[in-house]
Amino acid sequence: MEYFHEYFAEPKVLHRRAIAFAPHLHAEIEIIAMRNGSASVTADGRTYPVSRGDFILIFPNVVHSYSVGEDVDTGKFIFNPALIPELADAFRGRRPK
């Protein structure tokens, strides 16, 4: 399977009604807030159902994708871990268990 790499020079705050997205990765941290609806998030080959009130934290350089469920409303924040120096080392080269 081919993945594509995204690069974000500046932090991004996005509001989306749909989050369907093919497998991809980037060097930034991604936080997604599920404001409404349900979806599936796949990260490192494991799929997780998410719904209203859930927050998703995607570590840098982890292949991830989204499958829309129903009536989705999300907020996304994508940023370089270096913006929070106290946490940058915690994210460098690590993956969640």
Side-chain angles (χ1 to χ4, degrees), residues 43-44 46 48 57-62 90-91 93-97:
D44 260 352
R46 294 180 63 191
Y48 306 91
L57 173 66
I58 303 292
F59 275 52
N61 301 309
V62 170
F91 286 102
R94 295 194 179 159
R95 285 178 142 58
K97 292 183 181 180

Side-chain angles (χ1 to χ4, degrees), residues 3 5-6 8 30 34-35 43 46 50 65 91:
Y3 306 108
H5 181 271
E6 290 186 294
F8 299 94
E30 184 170 338
M34 293 295 295
R35 298 174 54 166
R46 294 180 63 191
V50 293
S65 62
F91 286 102

Side-chain angles (χ1 to χ4, degrees), residues 12-21 30-41 49-56 65-78:
K12 299 279 184 204
V13 177
L14 307 167
H15 176 246
R16 295 206 171 135
R17 293 268 179 204
I19 61 169
F21 218 82
E30 184 170 338
I31 299 172
I32 303 157
M34 293 295 295
R35 298 174 54 166
N36 196 40
S38 62
S40 294
V41 174
V50 293
S51 58
R52 181 184 175 145
D54 289 341
F55 283 81
I56 302 107
S65 62
Y66 313 108
S67 299
V68 153
E70 48 190 65
D71 197 23
V72 173
D73 186 3
T74 65
K76 290 176 67 173
F77 183 40
I78 303 170

